[in-house]
Amino acid sequence: QPTGFEGYHLIAPTLLQAGDSIAYKQVRRDMLRRFGGTKDPLIADRLVKDCLIRPWLPAQLDSLARLADMAIQEGPEHKAWRRFQFAKGLVEYRRGHFADAVNYVRQVAEGGEWNRDVNRDVQAYMVLAMAYAGLNQMAYARSALTTGLAVAQDGLPKSDGDLSNWPGWNDWVIA
């Protein structure tokens, strides 16, 4: 279904998990070309995250930043607000705006029990650790990394290899 976003959303982390970074790079180029003009904030935030699992070139980062900005404009009342914050923080991290990344992603990682998602929390702590490292705040970076690893150990399900009936498996792979 080349016109449907969901297939792309699922294949991007799968390709990386399988070790096919060349196919991943092609898929994310296709995703941005096909869906970069979306007005749907849910697609925008997924597109940002899927495309930025690995670093990307500055020209693409500008397009992805616009998508993250569009999603974040939905405001904190939106059910996917924490997802939008994470996408915005991830873009800022990839752009080298480490302080901005910390501001967005810390809110996700340390956001309390409301709307918890272990996969997203692990992702947020890892990006937070990298952003702190980019700011040369190594004690904070180590703390975020340690917390993220503990959340992963305690909260992420263990895989027996069959992810076919596992909701959110793609986010688990990313985490």
Side-chain angles (χ1 to χ4, degrees), residues 142-165:
R142 279 189 291 279
S143 177
L145 177 63
T146 300
T147 302
L149 291 172
V151 170
Q153 180 65 32
D154 296 342
L156 289 180
K158 309 305 181 249
S159 169
D160 62 1
D162 180 10
L163 302 176
S164 61
N165 291 316

Side-chain angles (χ1 to χ4, degrees), residues 82 105-112 116 125 128 132:
R82 289 202 194 277
V105 178
R106 184 177 52 210
Q107 292 178 48
V108 176
E110 300 172 355
R116 280 315 231 185
Y125 275 112
L128 186 60
Y132 276 132

Side-chain angles (χ1 to χ4, degrees), residues 79-96:
K79 65 181 180 181
W81 174 243
R82 289 202 194 277
R83 285 179 30 194
F84 299 164
Q85 287 179 298
F86 176 76
K88 178 66 174 165
L90 180 58
V91 166
E92 294 305 324
Y93 170 74
R94 292 293 189 206
R95 294 174 95 183

